[in-house]
Amino acid sequence: MNLSIFRPVLRPFKPQIVRPSSVFQRIAQCPQARIPAYTSPFSSTSRMQKRSKKGGGQDPRITSIRYHLSHPLTPRPLHFSRNRHLRHWTIHRAWMLFLRKRRWAEERDLERQYMSMRAACEHLRLLDQNGNRVSEQEAGGQGPDAGRLGMRGREVGRLYRSAMLKRGVWGSVPVEYARVQTDFPGREGWNHAWTRN
Amino acid sequence: MALRELPFRTAAALCKDTRPAVRVAEPLFRRNASSEAAREVESSSSLEVPPPSEELVKGYDPLARSRLRRRGNKELPPSRYQYRSPKYYRGPLHPHQPPPESDPSSRLFQPGPFSLPRLEQTYQSTIAADLLTLTYQHYPPGYRAPKTDQRLRQWTGDSPYYKNRPLRPPRGKGEVLRLLNEPRTFRNIPKITKVTLHSMVPEAQENSAHMHVAGMILQAITNVRAVSHKARHNVVGWGLRQGRYVSVTSTMEREDAQDFLAKLIDVVLPKIKEWKGVPGSSGDGHGNMSFGLTPDQLALFPEIEVNYDAYPPKMIPGCHITIETDATSNKDARLLLQAIGLPFYGKLND
């Protein structure tokens, strides 16, 4: 039975160290040093099987699961000397700084996108059907209601109104599109034959 | 390695005795054959820092300094760094304040992130921008949102005890104050905050082995220690008795959650036969979505599949997966999960 999966990867398996004192004790207990202190039972049947025949025996798999649940191999907590702690602290601050800069850069990216979308929408809102810019009074869409019409009626900001309808936006992401990035593109990079229905 | 180092070590040990007792200080400006080349590669080097001034060198007396330090009662803390942050937060006025969570000495400190999961990368590069584009709502410049009035109920009456009481929650059993839907900006794009696995094992009331197997399976899948829970009430229909341990959960955040979701979406769900998707009725209206997996489906996780024999097959539990997001409505949360790759079926719960 391979239970190595329960063992944390970072912690190497350490064989049990035999203390010299216990060895001496064992030798003192049995004067003939050749005879081992622990003798295996004569029967080759393992204890677990023997027990289960009597009735009420436990599955060895459950026993091992219980053992490993109650003996988690947790690494010991970190204890640092002063210099090591200071070194650790410095590196940690640098790492935090790096993360913060990365987050900041990502947010600036999104901000740039947001601002350009905002400018585009504002442009569309004030756009005539002939492509001319109209004044704020003539255009619609004031306030929270994007579909509101202005003095010039429907001919101003048609594209803006249809964009703000958000028709088909909710629940529109197809499973074929939603794929996690990979290091290399797939064998067929783009399925040109794909249609929604 | 040790064998390879052995000759060096012996050589160093032999040379230790031959070293002069007083070492002549080497000049700081050491000129080597490679120094010219190093200067070409690196314009400014730390080796070229000018030496300390003459007065500083003459005035430096380490013995006197250490004596002064001892006498002035300004001893540095002992070499073993022994600061422990307070166990309980005792309020902002208490003299012992815990360090910030990002400080390594804090009890809440979590090291990392140690990796950048693929799902996280995809979110940053693609999904966030797509969600922002899809859900962008334009408000003309100068528009100010009307102020929302108080949504909690006042205490109305003559009783003097109503004064300064906290406001009342919404009327009705099970009613909660709904989250406000703020307009979408580049700062509040929904993202995944937590993933919780919950597995209810009512058979554990008779035989605790079920609970242990379920906990071990959740731990193996999620990489997080499982937590067991008691039944809070007697429920005859489900065979629950109050105070007995009946379920295990494990809650993942950050990298664990991302890795788990990637594993679920790329490995496990495609292997399920005729899986329709997440039911469209799921969602609590506050951005959390949940769905369930049967025992057969849970056994498809690679961690369980590789040593399927380690678990008694009848004791493998099913589980519920709850994905918690930053979104404030079902629509937004569903859009995010769809962009990650979870399909929805049936009537949608909006």
Side-chain angles (χ1 to χ4, degrees), chain B residues 145-264:
Chain B
K147 213 179 171 195
T148 50
D149 46 349
Q150 179 56 256
R151 297 192 299 155
L152 292 169
R153 293 182 295 153
Q154 303 279 347
W155 291 91
T156 48
D158 303 333
S159 171
Y161 295 109
Y162 286 169
K163 207 174 179 185
N164 292 335
R165 259 197 195 173
L167 296 173
R168 309 171 75 184
R171 190 185 295 278
K173 197 188 173 195
E175 277 295 307
V176 288
L177 201 63
R178 315 298 293 183
L179 290 175
L180 286 174
N181 281 316
E182 297 284 325
R184 176 76 60 239
T185 64
F186 57 94
R187 282 183 206 275
N188 61 4
I189 301 170
K191 63 174 182 298
I192 286 164
T193 51
K194 268 185 201 172
V195 179
T196 304
L197 249 70
H198 169 253
S199 157
M200 167 132 156
V201 203
E203 304 89 39
Q205 295 171 114
E206 273 69 49
N207 183 5
S208 66
H210 287 86
M211 172 73 74
H212 295 146
V213 172
M216 184 53 95
I217 282 180
L218 286 202
Q219 272 182 212
I221 288 174
T222 61
N223 190 24
V224 169
R225 182 81 174 162
V227 183
S228 52
H229 300 281
K230 290 174 185 172
R232 284 192 291 181
H233 309 289
N234 284 315
V235 183
V236 180
W238 298 345
L240 296 188
R241 272 169 294 157
Q242 192 179 353
R244 299 296 189 96
Y245 281 101
V246 284
S247 75
V248 273
T249 59
S250 53
T251 306
M252 294 160 281
E253 288 179 30
R254 308 180 194 190
E255 295 161 273
D256 282 336
Q258 306 278 347
D259 284 333
F260 173 78
L261 276 184
K263 195 166 62 189
L264 180 74

Side-chain angles (χ1 to χ4, degrees), chain A residues 2-3 5-6 59 61-62 65-66 68-69 80-82 85 88 92 95-96 99 106-108 110-111 113-114 117-118 121-122 125 141-144 160 164 166 169-173 175 177-182, chain B residues 76-77 79 81 102 104 109 112-113 118-119 122 124-126 129-130 132-141 143 184 186-187 189 208-209 212 216 219 225 303 307 309-312 315 332 335 338-339 341 343:
Chain A
N2 180 19
L3 284 178
I5 191 165
F6 304 133
D59 192 346
R61 293 177 289 192
I62 292 170
I65 282 175
R66 279 183 176 147
H68 287 282
L69 272 178
F80 286 146
S81 67
R82 187 192 307 134
H85 185 272
H88 190 76
H92 177 73
W95 175 235
M96 288 279 122
L99 288 185
E106 283 159 12
E107 198 179 293
R108 290 292 79 71
L110 289 173
E111 184 182 10
Q113 183 195 345
Y114 179 83
M117 280 199 298
R118 188 179 151 83
C121 278
E122 190 55 29
R125 188 173 74 88
Q142 285 93 4
Y160 169 69
M164 283 302 119
K166 301 279 171 196
V169 159
W170 302 107
S172 63
V173 186
V175 178
Y177 176 79
R179 301 184 71 173
V180 177
Q181 278 179 357
T182 48
Chain B
L76 282 170
S79 159
Y81 193 74
S102 60
F109 173 69
R118 284 198 305 163
L119 193 61
T122 315
Q124 284 163 4
S125 68
T126 317
D130 284 1
L132 181 60
T133 315
L134 283 173
T135 60
Y136 172 74
Q137 184 70 38
H138 184 72
Y139 293 101
Y143 169 72
R184 176 76 60 239
F186 57 94
R187 282 183 206 275
I189 301 170
S208 66
H212 295 146
M216 184 53 95
Q219 272 182 212
R225 182 81 174 162
E303 289 89 351
N307 60 352
D309 301 335
Y311 308 100
M315 289 189 181
D332 286 334
L335 198 62
Q338 278 181 336

Side-chain angles (χ1 to χ4, degrees), chain A residues 43-183:
Chain A
S43 164
S44 63
T45 314
S46 70
R47 263 189 196 176
M48 284 305 172
Q49 283 173 337
K50 209 174 173 188
R51 212 177 271 167
S52 65
K53 269 177 194 167
K54 284 181 183 172
Q58 193 59 268
D59 192 346
R61 293 177 289 192
I62 292 170
T63 314
S64 71
I65 282 175
R66 279 183 176 147
Y67 175 82
H68 287 282
L69 272 178
S70 53
H71 294 82
L73 291 172
T74 321
R76 60 168 181 76
L78 289 176
H79 290 304
F80 286 146
S81 67
R82 187 192 307 134
N83 280 342
R84 271 200 154 200
H85 185 272
L86 288 177
R87 226 180 293 153
H88 190 76
W89 180 81
T90 310
I91 294 170
H92 177 73
R93 294 307 307 161
W95 175 235
M96 288 279 122
L97 199 63
F98 170 75
L99 288 185
R100 187 185 307 157
K101 276 183 182 169
R102 200 172 68 184
R103 228 179 299 130
W104 189 85
E106 283 159 12
E107 198 179 293
R108 290 292 79 71
D109 254 15
L110 289 173
E111 184 182 10
R112 218 178 303 130
Q113 183 195 345
Y114 179 83
M115 285 306 172
S116 62
M117 280 199 298
R118 188 179 151 83
C121 278
E122 190 55 29
H123 188 75
L124 285 181
R125 188 173 74 88
L126 300 177
L127 204 64
D128 199 353
Q129 60 181 357
N130 301 321
N132 297 324
R133 200 181 161 86
V134 299
S135 66
E136 181 67 38
Q137 283 76 33
E138 289 172 329
Q142 285 93 4
D145 181 19
R148 195 171 132 186
L149 296 179
M151 271 166 51
R152 294 270 300 273
R154 304 180 61 82
E155 62 188 50
V156 177
R158 187 180 290 274
L159 284 174
Y160 169 69
R161 268 179 274 125
S162 69
M164 283 302 119
L165 274 182
K166 301 279 171 196
R167 187 180 292 141
V169 159
W170 302 107
S172 63
V173 186
V175 178
E176 290 87 350
Y177 176 79
R179 301 184 71 173
V180 177
Q181 278 179 357
T182 48
D183 289 341

Side-chain angles (χ1 to χ4, degrees), chain B residues 323-337:
Chain B
I323 303 172
E324 297 180 27
T325 63
D326 262 0
T328 49
S329 66
N330 279 338
K331 275 182 173 181
D332 286 334
R334 200 177 297 123
L335 198 62
L336 171 64
L337 294 194

